[in-house]
Amino acid sequence: MRFKNPYPFKPSKIHLFVEKVVKKKTTNQSINYGSLRTRAIIGLYIAVFICSFAGMINDVIMARFLPVEFSSDSAVFGMTFTMFSLGKLIMMVPLAKISDKFGRKSLLIFAFGIYSVGTFLAGVAQSIEQFLFFRFLKGMSSFEGIALALINDYFKEGERGKPIAFLFTSLGIGSLLGTLTGGFFLNWFEFRYAFYILGLITFVSVLSVLVLIKNPKKINERNLNSTKTQRNFNKSKLKLLLQNKNFILGILIGTIITFIYSGLSSYTLFILLNYFEVENQQSGIFLLPATGAYILFSLTWGHNEKTIKILKRGLPILAIFFSFFIVLRIFIQVYIFILLLVLCFASLGVLMPAIDNFESNLVPHNIKGEALGLYRSITLIGSVIGSTIIGYIGSIFWEFAPFLLMGIFSLLGFITTILIKTSAPSPVSNS
């Protein structure tokens, strides 16, 4: 910045010195903010990666030992995912709303702490009812809504696609490595000790948030100025947002995609270990191509801001891929099954960041946490019912019938995208 000289003579040395100091201070503030943002995002990615890594190992262990330990079938296995998602559904909005007032960091510490405790206590369960309860407790972590709100705090509209894509990528990489490691965990550790170890591993996510993340300055300032009038104003903004047809349609599409992803993830693992009877050490190798495809496409396509176009093209393509599972009626080969999984997970790697980015761009800054928490909470209904319905259909009909059902849901999602108005402005101002 340059001071204007109000006098008809040259500026004094003091004047130039003050200008130099102010310019340096302004530059340092900009650098410091960029450094804080980088640290916070890295801390968030590390925490999410750790939970995804341990969570995938957890799922591999459940798929193998629940039928043995508690005599459960695919429907009960799906119920464990339902209870986990139900905990998220209940706590998603309250935690995200509280984070708007008290800051993202403290709520992320609480959320990841709950995740760690729930994982640890699963090893204590003496019955399937107790195990389901601890899965419900673990699900109450609900950190996704807060994570999206943190990204929105640090990045402006039009810049959020890439960090959201990296968020999904960190989830995918964690799942990938967890998939590879899960089979060895089954041989290295006894069923219950594995959960104790995973509980300690997930505590690293708490330390990552504690050390690396700091609430953005604008959040702190907004909390200090959070008067009753401002809160009422935010409520009115949220009501206007809920009247936005595009936002509601986005929630419906997100619910369908979440239903598909949850059902596909849980049922695939059960089919590999119990239908194809893959060895423990080989389970990760068989899941590696599908998980890798999800990461690759999430990373390369997730930052694309043309979200409507992606959804309108991606959902019918996903439906076509699911229809190919009918081939397994004739050729029951695990390699054909893996190939079809790669195609489906690659499509989901494109679709999931796209719908999150679409919804995020519709939400005003002041209610990011509450609105995105509401969005994630409602879409989790798909996860709550997805795993159970898919597992139940697989237990009473043909083993691969659930994949055809997910194809039908993909078509429903595509029909919903046709109703979205691409030219209509949002009724909620972002100012």
Side-chain angles (χ1 to χ4, degrees), residues 260-280:
I260 295 170
Y261 180 78
S262 175
L264 183 63
S265 300
S266 60
Y267 194 66
T268 293
L269 194 56
F270 190 87
I271 285 290
L272 273 178
L273 293 176
N274 297 281
Y275 180 80
F276 288 110
E277 297 182 348
V278 173
E279 294 293 330
N280 294 340

Side-chain angles (χ1 to χ4, degrees), residues 342-409:
V342 169
L343 297 175
C344 293
F345 273 104
S347 300
L348 288 170
V350 176
L351 292 169
M352 294 193 71
I355 186 60
D356 278 359
N357 198 16
F358 171 75
E359 290 291 272
S360 178
N361 289 335
L362 294 175
V363 180
H365 178 75
N366 300 64
I367 56 171
K368 283 293 182 185
E370 185 175 358
L372 291 176
L374 177 64
Y375 157 69
R376 296 297 296 178
S377 179
I378 296 176
T379 56
L380 273 172
I381 295 175
S383 184
V384 169
I385 63 177
S387 300
T388 300
I389 291 178
I390 295 302
Y392 179 73
I393 294 296
S395 65
I396 63 173
F397 295 110
W398 179 46
E399 287 83 356
F400 299 101
F403 298 99
L404 303 180
L405 177 63
M406 287 184 273
I408 295 174
F409 272 87

Side-chain angles (χ1 to χ4, degrees), residues 22-23 32 36 47 60 68 82 132 157 225 229 246 268 285 289 328 355 416:
V22 172
K23 184 176 181 181
N32 289 338
L36 287 175
V60 172
V68 176
T82 293
L132 291 175
E157 184 176 348
N225 299 323
T229 304
N246 284 358
T268 293
I285 298 175
L328 293 171
I355 186 60
T416 307

